[in-house]
Amino acid sequence: MLAGFARHFGGAPTSLWSAPGRVNLIGEHTDYNDGFVLPFAIDRHTVMAARLRDDRLLRVSSAFTEELIEISLDELSPESISGWSAYPLGAIWAAGAFGADLERVTGIELYLVSDIPVGAGLSSSAALESVVALAVNELWELGFDRQTLAKIGQRSENVVVGAPTGIMDQSAVLLGKSDSVVLLDCRSLESSVIPLGLHDEELTIVVTDTRVEHEHATGGYAARRASCEAGAAALGVTSLRDLGVDDLARAEALLDDETFRRVRHVITENERVLETVAILRERGAGAIGTLLDASHVSMRDDFEISVPELDLAVEVARRHGAVGARMTGGGFGGSAIALIRSSQVGSLREAHLAAFAAAGYREPVVFEVTPSQGATRHPL
Ligand code: GLA
């Protein structure tokens, strides 16, 4: 980290920051429908070293490519940035779009490293955006709160990267707390932290990265979002958040089959999030399994965002005695999670490797995640 910074910029950084990736426990494709999500920050991070300059240059490099990107703050625009640097530089542009006076600030040097796998549905991009937004917020004294920093990351993702994603990922990355999930109402942006108590229950969450890479800037994600918007419009509501299970019969009568199934996923998924929260509070994580399982079925059959590798990961976990399992994130690849007795983690990993090999799929990466603290500054 420090050596990488010194190699590109000479000398030492003046501050150090980190932002985690995230896993969504439940509540998929509900965020851009103004609904509920229940993600947590994980113990995988993007770490960034920073140092202010005394001119107007932004200079960014990373251990991913070792390429050095340089641009003046005076030239920063969605059109002038591309490639991987669109994530860090896009966050700076978006801070300006949210009212930061970028004309009075000086340039900055940033060096980034990360152990969050890219394309695995664990929000490596939101971690990049959030770590930069958090750092410049403090170094340039912009005065944004964390909710606004999440919106800044999302704006960058939407406008600069071009992915029409919701607010969940950046919120999880910025608001996460150890051993807890974050319940976020994506309409009001009110959030609360709910303890998971995994350690006491001797439970572990295992991620199986199928290594089927997804892309949210193109294709299926945007199509799902468009279906949801069309469904809401046809049913006369601002967003699907305004509908409940009582509206399903009307929705079925009015909508074509595909749109109806998209709508049914979102309506039932919102219910499952709230039910998960109630069960976590009353009975603990060991009792949420059927909701995780039902969420996966809904994504597989109604929302149609799973892939055979994700279905296999979920099926093997369930056969292996997991409390519950589901794909997590936007879908079309990425990762599945299993909530499982801690003593069974090793054998689940073996079972996943064997099942993927037998099916002729790429070898998955199976690892434990610990619900962790959100983005933060570190002492140097
Ligand atoms: C991606 C997006 C999020 C959310 C999820 C699906 O992770 O970035 O905003 O829509 O997919 O729940």
Side-chain angles (χ1 to χ4, degrees):
M1 178 82 224
L2 298 180
F5 186 93
R7 198 162 52 246
H8 287 284
F9 307 123
T14 50
S15 61
L16 204 59
W17 311 79
S18 75
R22 69 96 189 88
V23 154
N24 190 15
L25 184 64
I26 194 164
E28 227 65 81
H29 288 258
T30 44
D31 62 351
Y32 55 78
N33 287 300
D34 282 350
F36 300 100
V37 292
L38 200 60
F40 60 90
I42 61 174
D43 52 336
R44 296 272 183 136
H45 297 91
T46 291
V47 181
M48 184 178 80
R51 184 174 64 199
L52 288 172
R53 295 174 58 86
D54 46 23
D55 59 14
R56 297 271 294 160
L57 274 188
L58 299 171
R59 303 180 80 212
V60 190
S61 187
S62 75
F64 324 128
T65 65
E66 293 294 351
E67 186 188 5
L68 177 66
I69 307 286
E70 193 170 286
I71 186 169
S72 162
L73 272 157
D74 302 310
E75 280 152 27
L76 196 64
S77 73
E79 296 73 39
S80 64
I81 47 187
S82 61
W84 75 267
S85 71
Y87 294 97
L89 295 175
I92 295 178
W93 168 81
F98 271 78
D101 182 2
L102 297 185
E103 284 183 11
R104 67 165 177 83
V105 304
T106 59
I108 194 163
E109 284 155 344
L110 306 174
Y111 185 75
L112 292 142
V113 298
S114 182
D115 66 353
I116 309 168
V118 173
L122 302 176
S123 291
S124 59
S125 54
L128 267 175
E129 292 148 4
S130 303
V131 79
V132 173
L134 185 73
V136 298
N137 188 48
E138 197 171 312
L139 296 174
W140 288 338
E141 298 175 358
L142 303 179
F144 293 121
D145 59 17
R146 284 189 177 233
Q147 267 179 6
T148 311
L149 293 177
K151 288 189 200 165
I152 287 170
Q154 182 198 17
R155 178 75 62 88
S156 169
E157 185 85 27
N158 292 168
V159 177
V160 181
V161 180
T165 49
I167 191 73
M168 170 171 74
D169 303 344
Q170 293 81 5
S171 303
V173 166
L174 284 156
L175 303 175
K177 294 273 178 273
S178 59
D179 199 20
S180 301
V181 279
V182 179
L183 170 64
L184 181 71
D185 177 336
C186 299
R187 172 168 275 171
S188 66
L189 293 189
E190 261 170 48
S191 61
S192 42
V193 170
I194 296 154
L196 269 179
L198 293 182
H199 187 259
D200 292 347
E201 287 197 68
E202 293 180 22
L203 290 171
T204 298
I205 295 175
V206 172
V207 168
T208 300
D209 173 8
T210 62
R211 297 169 74 203
V212 177
E213 286 194 23
H214 70 286
E215 256 273 0
H216 291 331
T218 51
Y221 186 95
R224 295 305 179 281
R225 188 168 178 153
S227 287
C228 291
E229 282 161 10
L235 291 159
V237 289
T238 315
S239 71
L240 296 181
R241 157 68 179 276
D242 298 313
L243 302 173
V245 283
D246 292 350
D247 296 295
L248 284 173
R250 185 167 68 94
E252 187 164 23
L254 209 71
L255 303 173
D256 64 83
D257 175 61
E258 187 182 282
T259 312
F260 169 65
R261 287 185 291 111
R262 307 296 189 246
V263 167
R264 181 165 62 186
H265 165 72
V266 175
I267 291 177
T268 57
E269 186 79 349
N270 274 327
E271 299 260 325
R272 282 187 288 270
V273 173
L274 298 179
E275 226 177 299
T276 303
V277 170
I279 294 181
L280 282 176
R281 286 185 169 134
E282 284 156 25
R283 291 158 58 204
I288 65 170
T290 50
L291 290 162
L292 301 183
D293 295 342
S295 172
H296 185 76
V297 170
S298 180
M299 289 188 284
R300 185 190 64 199
D301 299 345
D302 274 357
F303 220 59
E304 296 180 283
I305 54 171
S306 191
V307 294
E309 289 85 347
L310 287 167
D311 293 338
L312 181 64
V314 166
E315 188 193 306
V316 169
R318 297 198 52 196
R319 246 193 282 137
H320 213 75
V323 171
R326 62 188 287 280
M327 55 147 279
T328 187
F332 306 102
S335 299
I337 53 168
L339 177 64
I340 193 157
R341 303 267 151 238
S342 303
S343 58
Q344 288 178 299
V345 170
S347 54
L348 176 65
R349 180 183 293 118
E350 293 308 313
H352 270 142
L353 294 179
F356 273 61
Y361 296 156
R362 258 183 110 176
E363 185 174 298
V365 184
V366 187
F367 53 96
E368 295 171 33
V369 282
T370 306
S372 300
Q373 188 66 29
T376 188
R377 183 174 184 162
H378 298 272
L380 254 177

